Amino acid sequence: MSVILRSISDAVWGLPTVILILGSGIFLTFKLGFPQMTRFKEMLRSAGGDSKPGGISPFQSLATSLSATVGTGSVVGVAAAIYMGGPGALFWMWVSAFFGMAVAYAEGYLSIKYRRVNPDGSRTGGIWFTLKDRMNAPKIAAAHAGLCILTSFGMGSMAQTASAAEALNREFSVDPVICGIFCAGLIGVCLFGGKKFTAALCGGLMPILSGLYIVGAAAVILKNINALPGALENILDSALGLRAAAGGAAGSAILRAAEIGCRRGVFSNEAGLGTTAPVHAASSVDDPDRQGLMNMLEVTVDTFVICTLTGLAILCSGNSGLDGVSAIVKSAEGVFGGAAAKAVAICIAGFAVATAVGWSQIGSAAAEYLFKGKGRGYRAALIAAAFIGAAVAPSA
């Protein structure tokens, strides 16, 4: 099964997909007049304001969207990208995120423009409504919703709760079954508690998780501040081959860094995948333009803040030769000493559970679209998946 899934992943996330999404970002960047730069201040202010009746507040929609995107991929995934593609992979993550911001703007805009307002005042939407109503492609919309449901079971739930359970068991000896019960209970409360409850939870949880992680990563960089100029030079050199010897080997290394970096960037912030559109559609914001700016802000926080700090912490501490959790823990040891592994485990578990919560809302919205509002069976299945993912996680 692992081999089959890896083959599917390699095919789906190959160079053609990266080129397609990046090309769309480049087109929209020019079409929209480089909103990443010309509207940067507006973007920073977009998450302000209170909630209106029937919707969640702008900040809560941003926090819920970040919960779904800022997962283990923004931590362990960055370490893996640097390990496989070299320091230059981080540069190409920046490139993909810059152009991905334009795609994210379009997703946020369309999520408001084609959403539905229910009789009770709540908002329902997703990229499926755009595909169905504007593109006249109901079959493609149904296929996308179905794939979102499948993703919510795998990457969005089981993989996340497994990561949380494994991290907590390894460092704190927490029984994976106990972790599974907690995760399943939390997902159940969010699914049956409604969008506003989940939004309030994410609005309180994500700033704390992100803030603690940012402070920790920044502390690692400051501890090794003398290595920062060299790390930045290494990133540019590896990405662009500024000092590389001429020949096929150099070109191949640059191409590999570009492919891995762009792929990891898209996978991390999900710009172009249409997955966070249901979350943005639930916002009380009525202006599509403002929601588009808010979606750009999500990409900024995910890639240009979280992923960048992760990558620089690894490079400044000289641990680019290590993969995954090992690189993160080794980098943190210079600041946190023997507590580094436990601190990293808490971060990984926190982000993983937050991602599962965020994806529960995405999958639930997809199920409601696909099954005409009848998603109770899906909710029960997702709760079970959250438990199973954690319960079968490897024990130390």
Side-chain angles (χ1 to χ4, degrees), residues 27-206:
F27 169 78
L28 288 170
T29 294
F30 281 92
K31 186 73 174 178
L32 298 172
F34 285 81
Q36 306 95 321
M37 296 183 292
T38 59
R39 307 191 66 187
F40 186 78
K41 291 183 178 179
E42 291 179 75
M43 178 191 72
L44 295 178
R45 295 193 297 263
S46 63
D50 297 326
S51 175
K52 297 178 182 179
I56 62 177
S57 73
F59 177 77
Q60 288 175 336
S61 71
L62 174 64
T64 307
S65 178
L66 281 170
S67 296
T69 56
V70 181
T72 55
S74 300
V75 183
V76 181
V78 175
I82 293 175
Y83 177 77
M84 293 186 295
L90 187 58
F91 172 84
W92 291 106
M93 287 183 70
W94 296 337
V95 172
S96 70
F98 178 81
F99 292 112
M101 288 171 70
V103 181
Y105 172 87
E107 289 180 359
Y109 188 101
L110 294 172
S111 70
I112 298 297
K113 185 174 177 62
Y114 292 99
R115 72 182 176 185
R116 303 286 194 273
V117 178
N118 301 316
D120 61 356
S122 63
R123 278 81 165 172
T124 301
I127 203 67
W128 323 296
F129 292 99
T130 305
L131 289 168
K132 179 184 176 182
D133 298 343
R134 182 67 179 88
M135 304 301 293
N136 194 27
K139 292 182 179 180
I140 296 178
H144 188 281
L147 291 171
C148 279
I149 291 173
L150 292 177
T151 303
S152 71
F153 284 118
M155 186 278 291
S157 180
M158 296 182 72
Q160 301 302 327
T161 58
S163 296
E166 185 177 359
L168 294 177
N169 176 263
R170 184 177 60 247
E171 297 302 330
F172 299 97
S173 299
V174 176
D175 190 329
V177 174
I178 299 299
C179 185
I181 293 173
F182 172 79
C183 291
L186 182 62
I187 296 298
V189 170
C190 290
L191 285 173
F192 290 99
K195 297 175 183 178
K196 288 192 174 183
F197 176 85
T198 304
L201 176 66
C202 292
L205 180 64
M206 279 309 294

Side-chain angles (χ1 to χ4, degrees), residues 113-391:
K113 185 174 177 62
Y114 292 99
R115 72 182 176 185
R116 303 286 194 273
V117 178
N118 301 316
D120 61 356
S122 63
R123 278 81 165 172
T124 301
I127 203 67
W128 323 296
F129 292 99
T130 305
L131 289 168
K132 179 184 176 182
D133 298 343
R134 182 67 179 88
M135 304 301 293
N136 194 27
K139 292 182 179 180
I140 296 178
H144 188 281
L147 291 171
C148 279
I149 291 173
L150 292 177
T151 303
S152 71
F153 284 118
M155 186 278 291
S157 180
M158 296 182 72
Q160 301 302 327
T161 58
S163 296
E166 185 177 359
L168 294 177
N169 176 263
R170 184 177 60 247
E171 297 302 330
F172 299 97
S173 299
V174 176
D175 190 329
V177 174
I178 299 299
C179 185
I181 293 173
F182 172 79
C183 291
L186 182 62
I187 296 298
V189 170
C190 290
L191 285 173
F192 290 99
K195 297 175 183 178
K196 288 192 174 183
F197 176 85
T198 304
L201 176 66
C202 292
L205 180 64
M206 279 309 294
I208 296 173
L209 281 176
S210 301
L212 290 175
Y213 184 80
I214 289 170
V215 169
V220 173
I221 296 171
L222 290 174
K223 176 76 173 181
N224 303 279
I225 194 65
N226 292 334
L228 182 58
L232 294 173
E233 181 182 359
N234 200 13
I235 290 170
L236 295 176
D237 177 44
S238 176
L240 305 175
L242 300 180
R243 294 182 301 177
S252 177
I254 295 171
L255 182 62
R256 180 170 177 77
E259 180 178 354
I260 291 175
C262 290
R263 184 170 60 188
R264 177 53 58 182
V266 172
F267 184 80
S268 175
N269 58 56
E270 300 187 23
L273 305 187
T275 50
T276 59
V279 176
H280 291 286
S283 171
S284 61
V285 171
D286 293 323
D287 183 8
D289 176 69
R290 182 183 174 192
Q291 196 66 42
L293 293 172
M294 201 181 309
N295 209 16
M296 287 206 309
L297 181 58
E298 179 239 303
V299 176
T300 303
V301 173
D302 180 275
T303 304
F304 286 109
V305 179
I306 304 292
C307 291
T308 295
L309 288 175
T310 301
L312 290 179
I314 293 171
L315 294 173
C316 288
S317 54
N319 293 304
S320 59
L322 298 176
D323 189 15
V325 176
S326 298
I328 305 295
V329 172
K330 192 68 175 178
S331 301
E333 284 179 349
V335 175
F336 300 101
K342 296 186 183 301
V344 171
I346 292 173
C347 287
I348 289 175
F351 281 134
V353 172
T355 298
V357 168
W359 260 94
S360 71
Q361 299 304 298
I362 296 171
S364 182
E368 289 178 5
Y369 172 83
L370 202 57
F371 304 118
K372 311 303 180 185
K374 300 177 181 179
R376 189 170 293 273
Y378 163 82
R379 297 188 186 108
L382 187 66
I383 293 170
F387 171 77
I388 293 171

Side-chain angles (χ1 to χ4, degrees), residues 4-18:
I4 293 173
L5 291 175
R6 189 177 297 112
S7 299
I8 294 173
S9 176
D10 291 341
V12 172
W13 285 100
L15 194 58
T17 300
V18 172

